[in-house]
Amino acid sequence: MKRNQLIYYLRTHDCVFLREGKKHTVFVNLSNNKTSTIPRHREINNFLARKICRDLGIVEV
């Protein structure tokens, strides 16, 4: 999955950008106050994308 597609999906489910790290971007889900990091790679493995969604408490991709 492309990184931009995952970020778009997260933003449509009430997740917002929190901060930038050196190699990751941190997003937070405002409805349940859970956070997760997204690596800065063009392609993100589907397994990792599902884990990020589970960490944020949203419906899987």
Side-chain angles (χ1 to χ4, degrees):
M1 166 178 272
K2 298 278 185 188
R3 183 177 189 271
N4 290 336
Q5 292 173 336
L6 178 61
I7 290 175
Y8 177 78
Y9 182 78
L10 296 178
R11 287 188 174 161
T12 59
H13 288 87
D14 296 330
C15 296
V16 294
F17 169 80
L18 182 63
R19 65 181 173 87
E20 276 301 324
K22 285 191 174 185
K23 298 182 180 179
H24 293 83
T25 303
V26 180
F27 273 81
V28 62
N29 189 343
L30 296 177
S31 61
N32 57 15
N33 204 21
K34 292 185 178 182
T35 61
S36 184
T37 59
I38 301 171
R40 277 197 239 137
H41 303 290
R42 280 180 203 238
E43 288 287 330
I44 296 177
N45 189 347
N46 288 335
F47 178 78
L48 180 59
R50 285 192 299 266
K51 184 195 177 304
I52 290 168
C53 291
R54 277 195 310 268
D55 289 346
L56 291 170
I58 60 175
V59 180
E60 294 185 15
V61 179

